[in-house]
Protein backbone atom coordinates (compact mmCIF):
# COMPACT_ATOMS: atom_id res chain seq x y z
CA UNK A 1 0.00 0.00 0.00
CA UNK A 2 1.21 3.45 -0.86
CA UNK A 3 -0.30 6.80 0.10
CA UNK A 4 -0.69 9.66 -2.35
CA UNK A 5 -1.45 13.04 -0.86
CA UNK A 6 -2.58 15.99 -2.90
CA UNK A 7 -4.12 19.36 -2.21
CA UNK A 8 -7.74 19.73 -3.31
CA UNK A 9 -9.77 22.80 -4.24
CA UNK A 10 -13.29 22.19 -2.95
CA UNK A 11 -16.15 24.49 -3.93
CA UNK A 12 -17.76 26.54 -1.15
CA UNK A 13 -20.45 23.91 -0.76
CA UNK A 14 -17.93 21.05 -0.66
CA UNK A 15 -15.76 22.88 1.86
CA UNK A 16 -18.83 23.35 4.04
CA UNK A 17 -19.56 19.60 3.88
CA UNK A 18 -15.92 18.73 4.65
CA UNK A 19 -15.92 21.03 7.68
CA UNK A 20 -19.23 19.57 8.79
CA UNK A 21 -17.94 16.01 8.43
CA UNK A 22 -14.84 16.86 10.44
CA UNK A 23 -17.11 18.37 13.09
CA UNK A 24 -19.45 15.36 13.22
CA UNK A 25 -16.65 12.79 13.34
CA UNK A 26 -15.04 14.73 16.17
CA UNK A 27 -18.38 14.85 17.95
CA UNK A 28 -19.00 11.09 17.76
CA UNK A 29 -15.41 10.37 18.78
CA UNK A 30 -15.80 12.50 21.87
CA UNK A 31 -19.25 11.09 22.55
CA UNK A 32 -17.85 7.57 22.51
CA UNK A 33 -15.13 8.51 25.01
CA UNK A 34 -17.61 10.35 27.22
CA UNK A 35 -20.11 7.50 27.14
CA UNK A 36 -17.52 4.93 28.11
CA UNK A 37 -15.94 7.11 30.77
CA UNK A 38 -19.35 7.42 32.32
CA UNK A 39 -19.96 3.67 32.13
CA UNK A 40 -16.52 3.05 33.63
CA UNK A 41 -17.31 5.28 36.61
CA UNK A 42 -20.60 3.50 37.11
CA UNK A 43 -18.92 0.08 36.92
CA UNK A 44 -20.77 -0.81 33.74
CA UNK A 45 -19.16 -2.88 31.01
CA UNK A 46 -17.31 -1.32 28.09
CA UNK A 47 -19.51 -0.38 25.15
CA UNK A 48 -17.73 -1.53 21.98
CA UNK A 49 -17.57 0.46 18.77
CA UNK A 50 -20.18 -1.81 17.20
CA UNK A 51 -22.59 -1.45 20.12
CA UNK A 52 -22.04 2.27 20.24
CA UNK A 53 -22.67 2.52 16.52
CA UNK A 54 -25.98 0.71 16.87
CA UNK A 55 -26.95 2.84 19.85
CA UNK A 56 -26.07 6.00 17.92
CA UNK A 57 -28.16 4.94 14.95
CA UNK A 58 -31.20 3.84 16.89
CA UNK A 59 -31.51 6.45 19.54
CA UNK A 60 -29.14 9.28 19.32
CA UNK A 61 -29.46 10.12 15.66
CA UNK A 62 -33.23 10.46 15.93
CA UNK A 63 -32.67 13.69 17.81
CA UNK A 64 -29.56 14.60 15.91
CA UNK A 65 -30.41 14.33 12.24
CA UNK A 66 -27.28 16.31 11.36
CA UNK A 67 -25.15 13.26 12.09
CA UNK A 68 -26.81 11.57 9.14
CA UNK A 69 -26.06 14.46 6.83
CA UNK A 70 -22.44 13.38 6.53
CA UNK A 71 -20.85 10.17 5.25
CA UNK A 72 -21.80 7.22 7.47
CA UNK A 73 -18.48 5.58 6.61
CA UNK A 74 -16.59 8.55 8.03
CA UNK A 75 -18.68 8.39 11.21
CA UNK A 76 -18.17 4.66 11.53
CA UNK A 77 -14.40 4.97 11.14
CA UNK A 78 -14.23 7.69 13.74
CA UNK A 79 -16.08 5.42 16.18
CA UNK A 80 -13.70 2.57 15.43
CA UNK A 81 -10.76 4.93 16.06
CA UNK A 82 -12.22 5.85 19.43
CA UNK A 83 -12.81 2.16 20.16
CA UNK A 84 -9.17 1.48 19.37
CA UNK A 85 -7.79 4.20 21.63
CA UNK A 86 -10.07 2.97 24.40
CA UNK A 87 -8.82 -0.58 24.06
CA UNK A 88 -5.28 0.80 24.16
CA UNK A 89 -6.14 2.34 27.50
CA UNK A 90 -7.41 -1.04 28.82
CA UNK A 91 -4.29 -2.86 27.78
CA UNK A 92 -2.35 -0.10 29.63
CA UNK A 93 -0.36 0.77 26.57
CA UNK A 94 -1.63 4.30 26.46
CA UNK A 95 -3.17 6.74 28.87
CA UNK A 96 -6.84 7.47 29.26
CA UNK A 97 -8.12 8.52 25.81
CA UNK A 98 -8.47 12.26 25.51
CA UNK A 99 -11.09 14.31 23.75
CA UNK A 100 -10.48 15.77 20.34
CA UNK A 101 -10.35 19.54 20.61
CA UNK A 102 -11.97 21.83 18.15
CA UNK A 103 -9.35 23.34 15.83
CA UNK A 104 -8.64 24.38 12.27
CA UNK A 105 -7.08 20.98 11.70
CA UNK A 106 -9.02 17.79 11.26
CA UNK A 107 -9.61 14.82 9.02
CA UNK A 108 -11.92 11.95 8.23
CA UNK A 109 -11.70 8.65 6.43
CA UNK A 110 -13.75 7.44 3.46
CA UNK A 111 -14.25 4.17 1.67
CA UNK A 112 -16.58 3.40 -1.20
CA UNK A 113 -16.55 4.68 -4.74
CA UNK A 114 -13.36 6.67 -5.24
CA UNK A 115 -12.32 7.54 -8.78
CA UNK A 116 -9.63 9.78 -10.16
CA UNK A 117 -9.87 11.89 -13.31
CA UNK A 118 -7.03 13.90 -14.73
CA UNK A 119 -7.65 16.94 -12.60
CA UNK A 120 -10.32 15.80 -10.17
CA UNK A 121 -11.22 13.10 -7.69
CA UNK A 122 -14.60 11.54 -6.93
CA UNK A 123 -15.31 10.93 -3.25
CA UNK A 124 -18.42 9.50 -1.54
CA UNK A 125 -20.92 12.27 -0.63
CA UNK A 126 -18.60 15.01 -1.83
CA UNK A 127 -18.70 14.00 -5.52
CA UNK A 128 -16.08 15.45 -7.90
CA UNK A 129 -13.49 17.73 -6.28
CA UNK A 130 -10.77 19.57 -8.14
CA UNK A 131 -7.22 18.38 -7.57
CA UNK A 132 -4.45 20.94 -7.39
CA UNK A 133 -1.88 18.61 -8.91
CA UNK A 134 -2.90 16.93 -12.14
CA UNK A 135 -2.05 13.34 -12.86
CA UNK A 136 -0.31 12.54 -9.59
CA UNK A 137 -2.80 10.12 -8.03
CA UNK A 138 -3.16 6.89 -10.03
CA UNK A 139 -6.66 5.68 -10.84
CA UNK A 140 -6.11 1.99 -10.03
CA UNK A 141 -6.76 -0.01 -6.90
CA UNK A 142 -7.66 2.86 -4.61
CA UNK A 143 -8.65 1.40 -1.27
CA UNK A 144 -9.57 4.41 0.81
CA UNK A 145 -9.22 8.15 1.16
CA UNK A 146 -8.59 10.53 4.02
CA UNK A 147 -9.78 14.10 3.62
CA UNK A 148 -8.07 16.64 5.81
CA UNK A 149 -8.05 20.31 6.53
CA UNK A 150 -5.04 22.36 7.56
CA UNK A 151 -6.09 25.91 8.20
CA UNK A 152 -7.67 27.09 4.99
CA UNK A 153 -6.20 24.36 2.85
CA UNK A 154 -7.73 21.00 2.09
CA UNK A 155 -6.03 17.73 1.21
CA UNK A 156 -6.89 14.24 0.14
CA UNK A 157 -4.65 11.25 0.79
CA UNK A 158 -5.53 8.00 -0.92
CA UNK A 159 -4.22 4.53 -0.20
CA UNK A 160 -3.37 2.59 -3.32
CA UNK A 161 -2.71 -1.12 -3.44
CA UNK A 162 0.44 -1.38 -5.52
CA UNK A 163 1.32 -5.03 -5.00
CA UNK A 164 2.85 -6.49 -8.15
CA UNK A 165 0.32 -7.40 -10.78
CA UNK A 166 0.60 -10.82 -12.33
CA UNK A 167 1.76 -10.47 -15.90
CA UNK A 168 0.69 -13.28 -18.19
CA UNK A 169 3.61 -12.93 -20.54
CA UNK A 170 6.90 -13.24 -18.69
CA UNK A 171 8.94 -13.19 -21.85
CA UNK A 172 11.39 -10.34 -21.63
CA UNK A 173 12.40 -8.16 -24.51
CA UNK A 174 15.79 -6.56 -25.28
CA UNK A 175 17.42 -4.73 -22.40
CA UNK A 176 17.16 -0.95 -22.38
CA UNK A 177 19.83 1.64 -21.69
CA UNK A 178 18.29 4.84 -20.49
CA UNK A 179 20.43 7.87 -20.94
CA UNK A 180 18.33 10.09 -18.73
CA UNK A 181 20.53 13.12 -19.07
CA UNK A 182 19.35 16.37 -20.42
CA UNK A 183 18.23 15.17 -23.75
CA UNK A 184 16.06 16.46 -26.47
CA UNK A 185 15.20 12.89 -27.23
CA UNK A 186 15.44 9.74 -25.22
CA UNK A 187 16.46 6.71 -27.24
CA UNK A 188 16.11 3.09 -26.41
CA UNK A 189 19.28 1.16 -27.15
CA UNK A 190 17.58 -0.41 -30.19
CA UNK A 191 17.40 3.05 -31.71
CA UNK A 192 13.71 3.62 -31.02
CA UNK A 193 12.92 7.21 -30.04
CA UNK A 194 10.84 7.65 -26.93
CA UNK A 195 10.41 11.15 -25.69
CA UNK A 196 11.21 14.68 -26.56
CA UNK A 197 10.01 17.11 -23.96
CA UNK A 198 11.67 20.00 -25.74
CA UNK A 199 10.07 19.27 -29.07
CA UNK A 200 6.53 19.06 -27.75
CA UNK A 201 4.76 21.87 -29.60
CA UNK A 202 2.18 22.56 -26.93
CA UNK A 203 4.89 22.82 -24.28
CA UNK A 204 7.05 25.10 -26.38
CA UNK A 205 4.11 27.39 -26.93
CA UNK A 206 3.17 27.43 -23.25
CA UNK A 207 6.78 28.08 -22.31
CA UNK A 208 6.87 31.07 -24.60
CA UNK A 209 3.73 32.56 -23.15
CA UNK A 210 5.09 31.89 -19.66
CA UNK A 211 8.14 33.97 -20.53
CA UNK A 212 5.87 36.72 -21.82
CA UNK A 213 3.79 36.69 -18.66
CA UNK A 214 6.93 36.77 -16.52
CA UNK A 215 8.17 39.83 -18.38
CA UNK A 216 4.82 41.49 -17.86
CA UNK A 217 5.03 40.66 -14.17
CA UNK A 218 8.45 42.27 -13.88
CA UNK A 219 7.01 45.54 -15.23
CA UNK A 220 4.17 45.75 -12.70
CA UNK A 221 4.62 48.03 -9.74
CA UNK A 222 5.58 46.21 -6.54
CA UNK A 223 2.70 45.80 -4.09
CA UNK A 224 0.06 46.83 -6.61
CA UNK A 225 -3.17 44.99 -7.20
CA UNK A 226 -2.29 44.53 -10.84
CA UNK A 227 0.94 42.88 -9.90
CA UNK A 228 -0.91 40.44 -7.67
CA UNK A 229 -3.32 39.56 -10.49
CA UNK A 230 -0.44 39.06 -12.88
CA UNK A 231 1.31 36.87 -10.32
CA UNK A 232 -1.72 34.59 -10.10
CA UNK A 233 -1.90 34.38 -13.87
CA UNK A 234 1.78 33.50 -14.13
CA UNK A 235 1.52 30.87 -11.41
CA UNK A 236 -1.45 29.20 -13.04
CA UNK A 237 0.42 28.92 -16.30
CA UNK A 238 3.49 27.58 -14.55
CA UNK A 239 1.35 24.96 -12.81
CA UNK A 240 -0.21 23.93 -16.10
CA UNK A 241 3.17 23.42 -17.71
CA UNK A 242 4.46 21.33 -14.85
CA UNK A 243 1.31 19.20 -14.92
CA UNK A 244 1.74 18.46 -18.59
CA UNK A 245 5.34 17.53 -17.94
CA UNK A 246 4.54 15.10 -15.14
CA UNK A 247 1.93 13.55 -17.36
CA UNK A 248 4.52 13.05 -20.09
CA UNK A 249 7.01 11.53 -17.68
CA UNK A 250 4.40 9.14 -16.41
CA UNK A 251 3.56 8.01 -19.94
CA UNK A 252 7.24 7.80 -20.77
CA UNK A 253 7.95 5.42 -17.90
CA UNK A 254 4.86 3.43 -18.71
CA UNK A 255 6.05 2.99 -22.31
CA UNK A 256 9.42 1.70 -21.14
CA UNK A 257 7.97 -0.73 -18.62
CA UNK A 258 5.41 -1.97 -21.15
CA UNK A 259 8.16 -3.31 -23.41
CA UNK A 260 9.05 -5.64 -20.50
CA UNK A 261 12.83 -5.45 -21.03
CA UNK A 262 15.26 -7.97 -19.63
CA UNK A 263 16.79 -5.15 -17.61
CA UNK A 264 17.08 -1.38 -17.65
CA UNK A 265 20.38 0.39 -17.09
CA UNK A 266 20.43 4.01 -16.02
CA UNK A 267 23.20 6.42 -15.24
CA UNK A 268 24.22 7.43 -11.78
CA UNK A 269 23.53 11.10 -12.04
CA UNK A 270 25.57 13.35 -9.90
CA UNK A 271 22.68 15.74 -9.46
CA UNK A 272 24.48 17.94 -6.94
CA UNK A 273 27.40 18.40 -9.29
CA UNK A 274 25.12 19.11 -12.21
CA UNK A 275 23.26 21.75 -10.21
CA UNK A 276 26.50 23.75 -9.97
CA UNK A 277 26.55 24.09 -13.73
CA UNK A 278 24.07 26.85 -14.50
CA UNK A 279 23.14 25.65 -17.95
CA UNK A 280 22.66 22.09 -16.79
CA UNK A 281 20.82 22.93 -13.62
CA UNK A 282 18.16 24.81 -15.53
CA UNK A 283 17.59 21.89 -17.87
CA UNK A 284 17.66 19.53 -14.92
CA UNK A 285 14.83 21.36 -13.22
CA UNK A 286 12.91 21.25 -16.45
CA UNK A 287 12.97 17.49 -16.68
CA UNK A 288 12.63 16.65 -12.99
CA UNK A 289 15.04 13.74 -13.17
CA UNK A 290 14.75 12.72 -9.54
CA UNK A 291 11.08 12.12 -10.08
CA UNK A 292 11.71 9.94 -13.12
CA UNK A 293 14.24 7.78 -11.29
CA UNK A 294 11.94 7.25 -8.31
CA UNK A 295 9.06 6.24 -10.55
CA UNK A 296 11.25 3.97 -12.56
CA UNK A 297 12.35 2.18 -9.40
CA UNK A 298 8.80 1.65 -8.25
CA UNK A 299 7.48 0.46 -11.60
CA UNK A 300 10.44 -1.83 -12.31
CA UNK A 301 9.92 -3.48 -8.96
CA UNK A 302 6.23 -4.01 -9.64
CA UNK A 303 6.89 -5.53 -13.03
CA UNK A 304 9.85 -7.59 -11.87
CA UNK A 305 12.35 -5.86 -14.13
CA UNK A 306 15.95 -5.53 -13.04
CA UNK A 307 16.98 -1.90 -12.77
CA UNK A 308 20.71 -1.33 -12.99
CA UNK A 309 22.67 1.78 -12.27
CA UNK A 310 26.21 2.29 -13.51
CA UNK A 311 28.93 3.92 -11.44
CA UNK A 312 29.01 7.68 -11.38
CA UNK A 313 32.25 7.69 -13.33
CA UNK A 314 31.15 5.40 -16.14
CA UNK A 315 31.77 7.52 -19.27
CA UNK A 316 28.64 6.44 -21.17
CA UNK A 317 28.79 9.35 -23.60
CA UNK A 318 32.56 9.24 -24.18
CA UNK A 319 32.93 5.61 -25.27
CA UNK A 320 32.49 4.36 -28.81
CA UNK A 321 29.89 1.63 -28.69
CA UNK A 322 31.66 -0.23 -31.53
CA UNK A 323 35.31 -0.32 -30.48
CA UNK A 324 35.22 1.04 -26.91
CA UNK A 325 37.61 3.86 -27.82
CA UNK A 326 37.29 6.75 -25.36
CA UNK A 327 37.33 10.37 -26.48
CA UNK A 328 36.15 13.78 -25.22
CA UNK A 329 32.54 14.65 -26.05
CA UNK A 330 31.69 18.30 -25.35
CA UNK A 331 27.98 18.90 -24.73
CA UNK A 332 27.48 20.73 -28.02
CA UNK A 333 28.57 17.74 -30.13
CA UNK A 334 25.44 15.91 -31.16
CA UNK A 335 27.07 13.13 -33.18
CA UNK A 336 29.66 10.75 -31.84
CA UNK A 337 32.37 10.42 -34.51
CA UNK A 338 34.84 7.79 -33.39
CA UNK A 339 38.46 8.87 -33.92
CA UNK A 340 39.50 5.22 -33.89
CA UNK A 341 37.04 3.24 -36.03
CA UNK A 342 35.11 5.99 -37.79
CA UNK A 343 31.70 4.96 -36.43
CA UNK A 344 29.13 7.78 -36.44
CA UNK A 345 26.19 7.56 -34.08
CA UNK A 346 23.84 10.07 -32.50
CA UNK A 347 25.35 11.12 -29.21
CA UNK A 348 22.40 10.00 -27.09
CA UNK A 349 21.89 6.72 -28.89
CA UNK A 350 25.58 5.87 -28.51
CA UNK A 351 25.37 6.59 -24.78
CA UNK A 352 22.32 4.43 -24.31
CA UNK A 353 23.93 1.46 -26.10
CA UNK A 354 26.95 1.87 -23.81
CA UNK A 355 24.67 1.76 -20.82
CA UNK A 356 23.16 -1.55 -21.89
CA UNK A 357 26.64 -3.01 -22.38
CA UNK A 358 28.01 -1.75 -19.07
CA UNK A 359 29.50 -4.48 -16.91
CA UNK A 360 30.03 -2.46 -13.77
CA UNK A 361 26.72 -1.57 -12.10
CA UNK A 362 24.62 -1.92 -8.98
CA UNK A 363 21.16 -3.49 -9.03
CA UNK A 364 18.51 -1.11 -7.68
CA UNK A 365 15.52 -3.42 -7.88
ZN1 LIG B 1 35.05 3.30 -32.48
Amino acid sequence: MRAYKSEIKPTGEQARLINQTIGVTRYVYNLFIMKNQDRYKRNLSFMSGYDFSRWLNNRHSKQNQWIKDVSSKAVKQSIMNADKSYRGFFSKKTGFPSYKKKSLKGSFYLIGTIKVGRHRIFLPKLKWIRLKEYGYIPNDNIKSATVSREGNRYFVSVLVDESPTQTISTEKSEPIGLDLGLKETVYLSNGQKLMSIYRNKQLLKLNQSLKRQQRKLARKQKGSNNRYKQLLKTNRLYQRISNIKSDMKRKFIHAIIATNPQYITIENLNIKGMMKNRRLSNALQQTGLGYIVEWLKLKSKQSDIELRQVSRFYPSSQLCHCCNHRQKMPLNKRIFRCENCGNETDRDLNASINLVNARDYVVLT
Side-chain angles (χ1 to χ4, degrees), residues 177-200 248 252 256 267 283 287 289 292 334 346-353 355:
L178 262 188
D179 184 14
L180 283 174
L182 317 147
K183 303 288 146 25
E184 285 194 338
T185 312
V186 174
Y187 285 99
L188 300 189
S189 32
N190 62 11
Q192 190 193 336
K193 279 187 191 182
L194 259 191
M195 175 178 73
S196 53
I197 279 193
Y198 305 108
R199 292 215 179 123
N200 181 300
M248 285 175 70
F252 165 67
I256 292 168
E267 286 159 293
T287 38
L289 281 180
I292 293 190
R334 300 311 309 163
D346 177 275
R347 173 200 181 88
D348 299 336
L349 179 57
N350 181 61
S352 85
I353 297 172
L355 283 171

Side-chain angles (χ1 to χ4, degrees), residues 320-325 336 338-343:
C320 168
H321 78 268
C322 296
C323 70
N324 237 19
H325 170 75
F336 187 98
C338 181
E339 291 156 5
N340 183 47
C341 74
N343 145 53

